[in-house]
C-alpha cells in the first residue's frame, strides 16, 4: 500500500510542472477546424428558420379554418334557435286568438 501511495505521489509530482502552450500555428489550425464545423451549423439553422416559417404558415391556416368552422357552427346554432323561436312564437300567437 505504501508503494502504491509513493508511486501515485511521484507520478503527480512529475506531471505537475508540465505546462501546455499552443503555438500560433496550432491556434490557426484550431480556428480552421472550428470554422469548418460552424458552416454546416449555419446551413442547418437556415433550413430550420425556413421550416419554422412554413410551420407558422400552416398553423395560421389551421387557425383560420378553425375560426371559420366555429363561426359556421355559431351561425347554424343561431338559425336553429331562430327557427324554433319563430315557430314557438307563432304557436303562442295562434293560441291566444
Amino acid at each position: 500500500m505504501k508503494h502504491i501511495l509513493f508511486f501515485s505521489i511521484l507520478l503527480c509530482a512529475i506531471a505537475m510542472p508540465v505546462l501546455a502552450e499552443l503555438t500560433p500555428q496550432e491556434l490557426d489550425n484550431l480556428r480552421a477546424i472550428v470554422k469548418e464545423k460552424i458552416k454546416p451549423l449555419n446551413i442547418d439553422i437556415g433550413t430550420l428558420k425556413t421550416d419554422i416559417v412554413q410551420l407558422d404558415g400552416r398553423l395560421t391556416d389551421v387557425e383560420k379554418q378553425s375560426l371559420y368552422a366555429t363561426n359556421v357552427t355559431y351561425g347554424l346554432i343561431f338559425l336553429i334557435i331562430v327557427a324554433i323561436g319563430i315557430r314557438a312564437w307563432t304557436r303562442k300567437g295562434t293560441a291566444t286568438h
Side-chain angles (χ1 to χ4, degrees), residues 2-95:
K2 290 180 184 179
H3 296 292
I4 294 173
L5 183 62
F6 174 73
F7 284 118
S8 297
I9 292 172
L10 180 66
L11 289 176
C12 289
I14 292 172
M16 199 180 320
V18 175
L19 296 175
E21 291 186 19
L22 295 174
T23 64
Q25 183 181 4
E26 291 173 332
L27 287 173
D28 290 338
N29 287 340
L30 287 174
R31 286 186 188 111
I33 291 171
V34 169
K35 284 182 184 178
E36 289 176 13
K37 297 293 180 183
I38 288 177
K39 284 180 184 178
L41 290 177
N42 287 339
I43 293 170
D44 290 343
I45 290 172
T47 57
L48 282 175
K49 285 181 182 179
T50 57
D51 290 346
I52 288 173
V53 168
Q54 291 174 352
L55 184 61
D56 187 42
R58 289 180 189 168
L59 288 175
T60 303
D61 291 341
V62 169
E63 184 180 349
K64 287 179 184 178
Q65 290 175 354
S66 174
L67 184 62
Y68 177 74
T70 303
N71 287 338
V72 168
T73 304
Y74 288 154
L76 290 174
I77 290 171
F78 177 74
L79 288 175
I80 291 169
I81 291 172
V82 168
I84 293 172
I86 290 174
R87 195 166 183 192
W89 189 45
T90 56
R91 282 189 185 170
K92 186 178 181 182
T94 56

